Amino acid sequence: MLPILLLEAHCFFPQTAGWIIKTSLSDKKENEFKCWDADGRGPCVWDTFTHQGGERVFENQTGDVACGSYALWEEDLKCIKQLGLTHYRFSLSWSRLLPDGTTGFINQKGIDYYNKIIDDLLRNGVTPIVAIYHFDLPQALEDQGGWLSEAIVEAFDKYAQFCFRTFGDRVKQWLTINEPNTLAILAYDMGIFAPGVPHFGTGGYQAAHNLIKAHARSWHSYDSLFRKEQKGFVSLSLFFCWLEPADPNSVLDQEATKRAINFQLDFFAKPIFIDGDYPELVKSQIATMSKKQGYPSSRLPEFTEEEKKMIKGTADFFAVQYYTTRLVRHQENEKGELSFLQDVEIEFFPNPSWENVGWIYVVPWGIRKLLKYIKDTYNNPVIYITENGFPQCDPPSLDDTQRWEYFRHTFQELFKVIVYGFRGFRPCLFDLVYLRQTSCKWVMRARRVSHSMANRERGLRHILNAYFPRILFHTPLA
């Protein structure tokens, strides 16, 4: 891989740094949602969710076509080659490979499609990073309880083993589950992500419990059945907005910020990276709230001692996804309302002085503080930044100056991180192609993809076409 020039500072990231381009289509986040029901693919929860209408997503978009990468992969590959990128991250569609979610019926056309992507990437010197699951649970499994059912743990493990067996001879970097902390809360607590049925105060915790166990089971399957021969690495990716006290001098806001970090990031990271169990602060907070609400026991499920041993240490690197930062203020749940956010007893909000597009406020120093926290809290792990980016509203323009400024300042903050003495900071991965989110009123792109045109025309953005190759090849910028 090529060393990376940090703009203006003329300093270099480590030789192990690399750059990733990643397709993210709809909130279903699979890179091939064109032909959503073609070539043997079965329905997933997002198909059901978006086809029900009712303004569940912005402008009732379905993602049936999205950017059309399923049919236009060759054009996408040209963009990857033109930018000189080292990595390409994409997600497998569970229901394209296994239409009913089980190995009882395997879709060969789905295998052929992903084989072509992987082989094309390797032939062009690009390393694939593959997410096994990205929110798109087969509808057949959701009908059996989905992530609220204990049975999903075994179903996911079998699916993961199928992926390792089928693609692991060439794929060496795996993410089992993308943003399980986002999925658990937005899908199964609040119900604003598919499958869209809220279970306030209970569903999010049950889903999270099963997501953690499913990840751990699949990690052990790779470790015992595939690692010796395939020599790959497995983790999961966690979403996190960095958090700061709204009033730095307020003890209540300081404590609220600590709670929020524990609930959002440490809830998943501590069991997997430290000791197999949830943070004590999370357990005590939910237990206290549950008691006040008249529950005979905590609404948070407990891991058995055997499960704790199974979960502990089941990640080969720390993958994190950062976009923005929020301020946190203590807000007591006086009415005993039932929900994840009420359990945390906070309100969070941006500083109005921060520049923003949609929900993303530009706070480059947040990524530096987040990485420092991970280093100090989780025994200095190898860190992958598997998503990061800045949005642009429709209609998209090829003038990408504002977005490039975001990346430039972020690069500068990342260089500061190096002096902290990280055990490993490789590769440095950025989400340079973020196409369309159906449930949000924004899009972000490093290349232009016209969603309004039937042929989904491709084209590199002016600023990246001019500057990104220079970063890769050390050419100083004027």
Side-chain angles (χ1 to χ4, degrees), residues 129-383:
I129 297 181
V130 177
I132 294 173
Y133 175 72
H134 204 149
F135 300 175
D136 59 333
L137 188 68
Q139 185 61 47
L141 295 182
E142 177 60 32
D143 292 342
Q144 299 172 31
W147 286 107
L148 298 179
S149 169
E150 176 76 19
I152 195 67
V153 176
E154 182 176 358
F156 181 81
D157 183 38
K158 289 182 177 179
Y159 165 55
Q161 289 187 41
F162 167 81
C163 295
F164 297 145
R165 186 178 301 109
T166 305
F167 307 114
D169 58 327
R170 290 151 293 155
V171 175
K172 306 303 176 185
Q173 298 182 59
W174 294 96
L175 300 171
T176 57
I177 301 171
N178 182 82
E179 295 186 4
N181 47 349
T182 299
L183 176 65
I185 300 309
L186 296 187
Y188 290 95
D189 185 89
M190 301 173 68
I192 60 176
F193 274 18
V197 180
H199 302 271
F200 294 113
T202 57
Y205 298 136
Q206 185 60 55
H209 205 66
N210 290 329
L211 283 160
I212 290 171
K213 290 192 288 185
H215 160 77
R217 279 274 296 271
S218 62
W219 185 93
H220 281 288
S221 291
Y222 187 86
D223 196 52
S224 61
L225 300 175
F226 303 100
R227 188 187 300 275
K228 183 177 181 180
E229 180 178 347
Q230 296 182 359
K231 298 178 173 58
F233 301 92
V234 180
S235 188
L236 78 173
S237 55
L238 299 176
F239 171 83
F240 190 63
C241 291
W242 180 247
L243 302 170
E244 291 279 323
D247 180 356
N249 298 316
S250 166
V251 174
L252 285 178
D253 286 0
Q254 292 172 12
E255 293 175 345
T257 302
K258 182 179 179 180
R259 282 198 308 276
I261 293 174
N262 268 217
F263 269 81
Q264 187 181 6
L265 179 66
D266 300 333
F267 190 104
F268 279 82
K270 181 178 174 287
I272 291 166
F273 288 89
I274 302 296
D275 61 5
D277 199 9
Y278 299 117
E280 291 300 323
L281 181 56
V282 169
K283 292 195 293 184
S284 63
Q285 181 75 7
I286 298 174
T288 299
M289 295 299 298
S290 298
K291 185 176 181 179
K292 288 181 179 179
Q293 294 158 341
Y295 283 83
S297 60
S298 175
R299 288 176 279 108
L300 179 67
E302 295 183 2
F303 293 120
T304 66
E305 291 304 314
E306 184 178 352
E307 287 172 338
K308 291 177 187 178
K309 293 177 183 177
M310 186 265 293
I311 294 165
K312 177 182 176 181
T314 53
D316 301 321
F317 54 91
F318 199 118
V320 67
Q321 312 195 153
Y322 170 86
Y323 289 96
T324 190
T325 289
R326 290 291 188 270
L327 302 177
V328 176
R329 179 181 294 132
H330 172 75
Q331 181 172 277
E332 187 175 352
N333 184 8
E334 296 178 351
K335 297 181 181 179
E337 296 179 55
L338 195 62
S339 77
F340 171 84
L341 289 177
Q342 293 296 339
D343 281 342
V344 190
E345 292 192 300
I346 62 165
E347 61 173 330
F348 59 96
F349 49 89
N351 185 321
S353 69
W354 295 339
E355 179 186 3
N356 77 293
V357 174
W359 66 276
I360 295 185
Y361 287 75
V362 181
V363 193
W365 50 260
I367 198 170
R368 170 172 49 85
K369 291 194 172 187
L370 169 59
L371 295 176
K372 181 68 161 54
Y373 178 84
I374 293 171
K375 174 185 180 291
D376 294 344
T377 306
Y378 294 102
N379 194 30
N380 196 12
V382 172
I383 299 175

Side-chain angles (χ1 to χ4, degrees), residues 95-114:
S95 61
R96 185 170 292 283
L97 291 167
L98 309 177
D100 68 355
T102 75
T103 53
F105 172 58
I106 297 171
N107 181 19
Q108 185 59 45
K109 288 185 178 180
I111 295 175
D112 294 342
Y113 170 68
Y114 292 120

Side-chain angles (χ1 to χ4, degrees), residues 21-36 41 44 46-47 50 57 61-73 76 88-93 96 113-114 117 134-136 178 193 323 387 431-440 442-445 447-451 456 458:
I21 196 167
K22 167 182 165 297
T23 49
S24 253
L25 312 187
S26 310
D27 268 321
K28 302 162 201 181
K29 306 279 185 141
E30 56 176 45
N31 89 317
E32 45 81 25
F33 228 76
K34 167 73 174 175
C35 303
W36 69 277
R41 181 186 174 278
C44 76
W46 274 96
D47 300 317
T50 58
V57 296
Q61 297 169 23
T62 64
D64 290 356
V65 177
C67 77
S69 185
Y70 187 75
L72 297 171
W73 163 246
D76 293 341
Y88 179 81
R89 178 190 161 192
F90 65 95
S91 304
L92 302 175
S93 167
R96 185 170 292 283
Y113 170 68
Y114 292 120
I117 290 179
H134 204 149
F135 300 175
D136 59 333
N178 182 82
F193 274 18
Y323 289 96
E387 281 187 24
D431 189 9
L432 293 175
V433 175
Y434 207 118
L435 297 173
R436 178 177 294 274
Q437 297 236 14
T438 57
S439 64
C440 303
W442 52 268
V443 293
M444 59 175 89
R445 302 180 180 91
R447 61 180 177 181
R448 178 176 62 84
V449 178
S450 176
H451 290 260
R456 266 47 184 177
R458 263 79 170 141

